[in-house]
């Protein structure tokens, strides 16, 4: 998946050489009744409606997550340059690669060395509650009510959105990355793709069962499908093994409440909560993936390869199957189609790879060091309205996109069919910054023209529709005490499961150790884990 955002003007931002150094200070006071000459000047400079947001230019610094597909200077992208002119707000984006984001963000917060806001920084609900209660993150309830008409309207339209953002103390501390609940291809995000030409060359049909997928991958490995005389075809390649597991486990009936809950779902036989990762039948999911890996049907670099290297390899046209937003945009590889729900050995056929609409609750957060919280709220809120969202996702009409005869928006050919051979993402990078995901914004099909709106992705949505899960859980909110357990014991349980699944699949742990592994997980505290989950679930239902 992918996406991000915009700015720059003529004001120079003074900042130290440290990436994480704060560029501004302030009390975070949101009062409209100034008590000092400085406050009076700031309020006088602020426009409550219309553009520009401030009469005289101001500067802000944002701690910013960066995907590999993004450029290295957000301020120089078209959208942010134009937005700076429009708003009179000049933003310096302190870029931190997503690979190091959590560590750098945690260090900044723990040391008090953070700037005016966190943008596209993947802040968890637990941290929103923690730092919101401490006053590090500004409480936004009143600011949203006064200065964020677009976002306020969204929360009124989708009550679950407001519920998901409201912390146990009643505070809202963030703007989210929010996908329209009606936009299924976007909620799917990264389908399992297979190369149509190779399926046809092999005389096969599109795989609809786990067995047919296995047979296809096996045939790819043993056939010179690209005709170069080399055995360089890679049956399946991806970044990490979890995306593949999450795509196929619905064929055994697991993950039946969506991707927002990766360890717990509902047992269809009892209608009770189920810790499914150690379920006896889940062992078969791991055994299936282990078989593919052992037989060389999964790229040997699956556990270590990074995004940029994966896409570079994919551009050679050697993948029989892969998982990403779309091979066309990521790897300039047309001719793939996405699979719907696969049927498993017991007849289960669920499409469970569906994200919660509030994908990242903490996509944008204002800190107590921000001297201009009202202006900052207006800056981010504009991007949640139709005009601002179209600008953010599509750029400037006539330069990056045009309106087709049917009224739909489409990128210009320099982006979709780049004359220099750039992929769509590479061509877009100098204009926008939403590539890579986690950006704050409201995503709808009418103005979001990323991979998920291409015909192949829309087709996946139609395939998935007939077998998609009936009930999609949003994220649960946990109390401070529950969060303490989940961040310690719960986190240890989840990490241990991830490590052991990788060992089982790679062969470094024999499957005969499964029962011992399950017993270890149980001893680590699964009973308490499920007790807390049940408490949160009961609150969620109410």
């Amino acid at each position: 998946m992918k996406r991000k955002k915009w700015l720059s003007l003529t004001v120079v931002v003074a900042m130290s050489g440290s990436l994480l150094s704060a560029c501004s200070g302030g009390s975070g006071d949101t009062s409209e009744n100034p008590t000092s000459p400085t406050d009076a000047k700031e309020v006088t400079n602020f426009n409550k409606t219309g553009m520009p947001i401030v009469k005289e230019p101001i500067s802000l610094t944002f701690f910013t997550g960066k995907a590999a597909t993004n450029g290295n200077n957000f301020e120089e992208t078209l959208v942010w340059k134009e937005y700076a002119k429009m708003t009179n707000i000049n933003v310096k984006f302190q870029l931190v690669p997503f690979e190091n984001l959590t560590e750098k963000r945690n260090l900044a917060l723990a040391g008090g060395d953070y700037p005016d806001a966190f943008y596209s920084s993947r802040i968890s609900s637990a941290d929103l509650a923690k730092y919101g209660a401490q006053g590090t993150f500004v409480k936004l309830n009143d600011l949203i009510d006064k200065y964020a008409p677009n976002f306020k309207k969204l929360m009124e339209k989708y009550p679950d959105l407001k519920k998901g953002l409201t912390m146990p103390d009643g505070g809202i501390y963030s703007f989210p990355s929010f996908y329209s609940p009606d936009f299924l291809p976007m909620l799917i995000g990264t389908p399992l793709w297979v190369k149509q030409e190779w399926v046809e060359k092999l005389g096969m049909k599109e795989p609809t069962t786990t067995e047919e997928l296995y047979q296809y991958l096996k045939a790819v490995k043993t056939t010179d499908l690209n005709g170069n005389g080399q055995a360089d075809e890679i049956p399946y390649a991806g970044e990490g093994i979890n995306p593949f597991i999450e795509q196929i486990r619905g064929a055994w009936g697991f993950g039946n409440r969506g991707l927002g809950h990766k360890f717990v779902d509902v047992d269809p036989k009892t209608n009770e909560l189920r810790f499914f990762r150690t379920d006896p039948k889940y062992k078969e999911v791991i055994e299936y993936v282990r078989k593919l890996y052992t037989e060389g049907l999964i790229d040997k670099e699956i556990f270590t390869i990074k995004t940029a290297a994966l896409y570079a390899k994919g551009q050679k046209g050697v993948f029989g199957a892969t998982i990403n937003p779309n091979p066309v945009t990521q790897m300039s590889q047309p001719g793939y189609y996405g699979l719907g729900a696969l049927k498993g050995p017991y007849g289960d056929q669920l499409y469970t790879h569906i994200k919660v609409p509030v994908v990242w609750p903490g996509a944008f957060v204002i800190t107590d060091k921000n001297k201009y919280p009202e202006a900052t709220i207006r800056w981010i809120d504009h991007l949640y309205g139709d005009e601002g969202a179209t600008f953010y996702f599509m750029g400037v009409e006539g330069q990056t996109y045009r309106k087709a005869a049917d009224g739909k928006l489409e990128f210009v050919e320099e982006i979709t069919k780049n004359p220099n051979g750039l992929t769509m993402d590479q061509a877009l990078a100098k204009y926008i910054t939403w590539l890579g995901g986690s950006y704050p914004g409201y995503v709808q099909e009418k103005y979001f023209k990323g991979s998920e709106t291409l015909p192949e992705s829309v087709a996946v949505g139609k395939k998935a529709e007939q077998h998609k899960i009936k009930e999609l859980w949003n994220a649960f909110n946990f109390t401070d005490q529950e969060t303490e357990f989940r961040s310690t014991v719960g986190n240890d349980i989840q990490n241990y499961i991830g490590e052991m699944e990788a060992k089982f699949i790679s062969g470094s742990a024999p499957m005969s150790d499964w029962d011992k592994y399950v017993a270890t997980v149980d001893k680590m505290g699964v009973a308490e884990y499920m007790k807390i989950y049940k408490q949160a679930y009961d609150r969620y239902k109410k």
Side-chain angles (χ1 to χ4, degrees):
M1 164 137 218
K2 33 211 162 106
R3 22 252 177 240
K4 270 175 196 121
K5 310 194 176 183
W6 349 292
L7 252 69
S8 144
L9 203 124
T10 56
V11 178
V12 178
V13 179
M15 62 178 287
S16 71
S18 168
L19 177 66
L20 296 178
S21 64
C23 193
S24 67
S27 66
D29 178 20
T30 62
S31 171
E32 289 188 83
N33 299 309
T35 57
S36 70
T38 302
D39 291 335
K41 182 178 179 181
E42 290 170 5
V43 172
T44 303
N45 192 39
F46 174 62
N47 292 319
K48 295 181 181 179
T49 60
M51 291 290 179
I53 293 172
V54 288
K55 296 162 190 173
E56 295 297 325
I58 62 172
S59 297
L60 296 171
T61 302
F62 294 171
F63 180 107
T64 305
K66 176 191 175 297
T69 43
N70 283 126
N72 292 318
N73 191 335
F74 278 22
E75 295 87 341
E76 292 304 311
T77 57
L78 172 72
V79 169
W80 292 128
K81 280 184 177 180
E82 293 300 316
Y83 201 45
K85 296 174 186 175
M86 187 189 311
T87 61
N88 254 358
I89 299 176
N90 200 36
V91 174
K92 173 66 180 177
F93 295 92
Q94 294 179 340
L95 300 182
V96 180
F98 282 137
E99 290 84 355
N100 312 116
L101 182 69
T102 301
E103 178 188 2
K104 297 288 187 184
R105 186 191 66 230
N106 290 345
L107 285 172
L109 286 168
D113 191 19
Y114 52 83
D116 301 297
F118 286 85
Y119 177 93
S120 191
S121 295
R122 299 181 175 180
I123 296 175
S124 67
S125 293
D127 278 348
L128 290 174
K130 174 183 176 180
Y131 291 104
Q134 292 177 5
T136 301
F137 297 159
V138 173
K139 189 174 182 178
L140 305 178
N141 302 54
D142 290 343
L143 289 167
I144 290 171
D145 191 53
K146 293 177 182 177
Y147 305 118
N150 295 308
F151 193 65
K152 183 179 178 181
K153 188 186 301 182
L154 267 184
M155 290 199 296
E156 290 169 351
K157 182 177 180 180
Y158 299 107
D160 277 351
L161 170 60
K162 184 174 183 179
K163 184 169 70 172
L165 294 177
T166 302
M167 295 299 109
D169 66 355
I172 295 175
Y173 299 98
S174 66
F175 280 71
S177 180
F178 180 60
Y179 299 166
S180 168
D182 302 319
F183 192 1
L184 185 56
M186 194 72 192
L187 296 180
I188 291 171
T190 52
L192 173 56
W193 303 95
V194 297
K195 198 171 180 67
Q196 183 175 1
E197 177 190 355
W198 289 3
V199 172
E200 293 171 353
K201 272 188 177 182
L202 292 166
M204 294 180 165
K205 63 182 182 70
E206 177 181 334
T208 58
T209 69
T210 52
E211 177 61 24
E212 289 172 358
L213 176 63
Y214 166 66
Q215 294 298 336
Y216 164 70
L217 297 177
K218 193 162 69 167
V220 169
K221 180 173 175 60
T222 57
T223 310
D224 182 19
L225 291 165
N226 58 13
N228 65 358
Q230 302 176 36
D232 56 353
E233 290 82 359
I234 301 173
Y236 171 79
E239 184 179 0
I241 200 64
N242 284 337
F244 185 75
I245 297 173
E246 290 168 356
Q247 277 286 348
I248 66 158
R249 64 188 177 205
W252 281 265
F254 294 110
N256 57 40
R257 291 302 184 269
L259 287 175
H261 300 266
K262 296 179 182 289
F263 293 82
V264 178
D265 66 358
V266 172
D267 189 330
K269 294 179 181 177
T270 64
N271 206 34
E272 298 292 330
L273 295 186
R274 169 178 66 177
F275 189 84
F276 66 81
R277 297 286 280 267
T278 53
D279 188 276
K281 199 165 75 168
Y282 195 79
K283 178 183 179 183
E284 297 184 27
V285 178
I286 302 302
E287 286 176 328
Y288 176 83
V289 181
R290 176 189 173 100
K291 177 173 72 170
L292 301 188
Y293 187 85
T294 301
E295 294 185 19
L297 309 185
I298 293 177
D299 186 9
K300 62 183 179 180
E301 295 182 313
I302 190 78
F303 295 105
T304 57
I305 198 166
K306 301 300 181 185
T307 305
L310 176 70
Y311 290 169
K313 187 187 291 190
Q315 286 178 345
K316 299 175 183 178
V318 294
F319 294 168
T322 189
I323 290 175
N324 59 49
N326 195 307
V328 172
T329 55
Q330 259 66 45
M331 306 180 302
S332 295
Q333 291 294 308
Y336 284 81
Y337 51 53
L339 301 184
L342 297 173
K343 183 179 286 188
Y346 304 105
D348 297 291
Q349 191 171 16
L350 284 177
Y351 201 96
T352 64
H353 192 274
I354 302 176
K355 304 172 187 174
V356 298
V358 183
V359 185
W360 293 103
F364 185 80
V365 171
I366 298 174
T367 75
D368 59 352
K369 294 189 179 184
N370 192 314
K371 294 189 293 185
Y372 313 104
E374 297 92 348
T376 307
I377 279 283
R378 288 207 57 215
W379 183 93
I380 190 65
D381 179 69
H382 181 66
L383 308 179
Y384 285 83
D386 279 355
E387 180 185 338
T390 300
F391 170 69
Y392 174 65
F393 288 113
M394 298 298 297
V396 177
E397 186 173 4
Q399 189 169 349
T400 57
Y401 77 93
R402 67 181 186 88
K403 285 185 180 178
D406 59 3
K408 293 184 177 180
L409 309 182
E410 56 185 32
F411 285 121
V412 297
E413 286 199 357
E414 182 193 346
I415 292 171
T416 58
K417 299 177 182 178
N418 187 267
N420 297 320
L422 299 179
T423 66
M424 184 172 164
D425 278 8
Q426 290 168 339
L428 272 172
K430 69 178 180 178
Y431 301 115
I432 51 83
T433 60
W434 50 257
L435 302 167
S438 310
Y439 48 81
Y442 175 40
V443 180
Q444 296 187 83
E445 187 173 1
K446 64 181 178 181
Y447 51 64
F448 177 77
K449 300 300 173 184
S451 302
E452 295 81 359
T453 59
L454 294 177
E456 304 92 340
S457 298
V458 173
V460 176
K462 291 178 179 177
K463 291 177 189 177
E465 185 73 40
Q466 59 183 321
H467 296 294
K468 73 176 183 180
I469 52 179
K470 297 294 187 289
E471 184 179 351
L472 179 65
W473 281 345
N474 284 287
F476 297 168
N477 287 329
F478 296 90
T479 66
D480 289 345
Q481 187 175 3
E482 291 167 347
T483 297
E484 175 64 25
F485 176 87
R486 286 174 53 77
S487 63
T488 52
V489 177
N491 196 50
D492 289 343
I493 290 172
Q494 293 174 178
N495 288 339
Y496 178 68
I497 287 174
E499 292 167 6
M500 287 305 298
E501 286 182 354
K503 288 181 178 180
F504 285 132
I505 290 166
S506 66
S508 61
M511 290 306 300
S512 57
D513 281 354
W514 178 268
D515 290 343
K516 183 170 67 173
Y517 149 71
V518 171
T520 300
V521 174
D522 288 342
K523 289 177 184 176
M524 292 176 74
V526 167
E528 184 66 17
Y529 185 103
M530 291 303 293
K531 178 183 175 183
I532 287 172
Y533 225 92
K534 178 68 163 56
Q535 292 168 180
Y537 176 54
D538 288 342
R539 290 194 300 269
Y540 175 80
K541 286 192 295 183
K542 295 175 182 177

